[in-house]
Amino acid sequence: MRAKRFSRRTVLSGTAALTAAAILPRASLGAGDWRPTETVRIIVPAAAGGSTDVMGRLLAAHLQPLWGQSVVVENRSGAGGTIGTSEVTRAKGDGHTILIGNPGPNAIAYSIFRNLTYKADQLQPVSNMIRIPNIVSAHPSTGLKSIPELIAFLKKNPDKLTYGSSGTGQSPHLTGAWFLQLTGLKMTHVPFRGAGPALQAGLAGDIQILFDNLYPSLPQVQDGKLNGLCVTTPERSDSAPNLPTMREGAPELAKFDVSSWFGVFLPKTAPAPVLDELNRQVKAMLERDDVKKNIAGMGARADYGTPQQFSDFVDVETKKFAAIIEKEGLQMEVK
């Protein structure tokens, strides 16, 4: 069965409609429930239009009619997401400043940047919201159609292939680095300034292998412009059920698990009532049919958890990326 097509325009238009239609009933309040007393800021440490931004706007649209206060999304992009993240660590923990986090500033940054201005314990994990697989694809000219074929080729032809990503130290790059570390194989990494240029190079055949987020590569795979090799999560993607997982490719990849995830954080000083209320609302948002539709359109799956579950998950992610980065010998400066 052909996988369902999706586009960023579809997701954003759905989000805009959700924001415009603030028609949800006010939630019934218990005596101990926390509610904001002024405008709530949701800090998105990325540019408008990406997955981090989409999830921030979905959350804002859910919270505003329930809380009876303005909830505004503020994009604070730059330095791999660390600028916006650092701003939240300096904010009051009174529930009026919320961070939408992702692997870059909330897992990878701690080990890759020498001069990072914040630490993990300055943030309080609330809940994850979604996980999206990364995808590995090959230019059709290679003739490669699976991870076992890629492994076999690299064993016979070391250093013959190049792989591209959205940039050094980004999740797609570290996905490729971990694959090579686990298999003991070699490819030359070609970093680009963003996912768009990397995809264009992949389509043109300037690089042979592309490690990317599921979107925007999946539509190119569906159109036959790239050969999809695998997704990088433990389970197959509902958006591409015919694509095997990386784990299915070889025994040494049995524990492979990389995804782009987008979750909610608060400053560390936020009290328990604020934490509990926001966690409760994330869960309620992810259970809504309209939000489920938007999430499916992104090729994602909901991933709600308790604060402790999300904290444990982020800790595992941070250690995983730290090990990859150390073995790769990567160190960068926040600019």
Side-chain angles (χ1 to χ4, degrees), residues 14 19 39-40 43-44 65 68 87 101 105 113 130 158-159 178 188 199 205 211 214 225 246 291 297 308 310 330 333:
T19 305
T39 296
V40 176
I43 304 299
V44 171
E87 180 177 338
F113 290 124
I130 61 170
D159 293 324
W178 197 23
T188 300
L199 177 61
F211 287 81
L214 188 65
K225 297 176 181 178
M246 180 74 85
V291 173
Q308 187 59 58
F310 187 38
L330 293 174
E333 300 285 339

Side-chain angles (χ1 to χ4, degrees), residues 13-97:
S13 63
T15 306
L18 183 63
T19 305
I23 57 175
L24 297 176
R26 289 291 299 274
S28 58
L29 305 185
D33 287 342
W34 174 86
R35 286 296 183 270
T37 57
E38 58 189 65
T39 296
V40 176
R41 302 162 62 227
I42 295 181
I43 304 299
V44 171
S51 298
T52 315
D53 181 65
V54 169
M55 294 312 299
R57 294 182 188 281
L58 285 172
L59 183 61
H62 174 77
L63 294 176
Q64 182 163 305
L66 291 170
W67 282 355
Q69 294 285 349
S70 294
V71 181
V72 298
V73 173
E74 298 181 7
N75 295 91
R76 297 284 190 269
S77 61
T82 63
I83 292 175
T85 303
S86 180
E87 180 177 338
V88 175
T89 65
R90 298 190 301 269
K92 293 181 180 179
D94 57 6
H96 294 93
T97 304

Side-chain angles (χ1 to χ4, degrees), residues 167-241:
T168 300
Q170 300 294 314
S171 171
H173 168 218
L174 297 180
T175 301
W178 197 23
F179 163 74
L180 294 173
Q181 289 175 8
L182 291 174
T183 57
L185 300 170
K186 294 182 179 181
M187 284 192 288
T188 300
H189 177 228
V190 182
F192 292 86
R193 296 179 67 86
L199 177 61
Q200 291 305 311
L203 291 170
D206 296 333
I207 53 173
Q208 290 79 51
I209 307 296
L210 177 63
F211 287 81
D212 194 11
N213 299 136
L214 188 65
Y215 185 92
S217 281
L218 182 57
Q220 311 304 323
V221 170
Q222 291 170 331
D223 285 342
K225 297 176 181 178
L226 292 171
N227 292 342
L229 305 186
C230 74
V231 294
T232 60
T233 42
E235 65 285 325
R236 295 193 180 196
S237 169
D238 292 339
S239 297

Side-chain angles (χ1 to χ4, degrees), residues 6 37 71 105 158-159 169 195 257 266 274 281 290 299 314 319 327:
F6 64 91
T37 57
V71 181
D159 293 324
D257 180 6
L266 287 167
V274 175
Q281 292 305 335
D290 51 357
V314 172
K319 291 176 180 177
K327 192 168 184 179

Side-chain angles (χ1 to χ4, degrees), residues 96-107:
H96 294 93
T97 304
I98 297 168
L99 173 70
I100 306 299
N102 64 61
N106 298 110

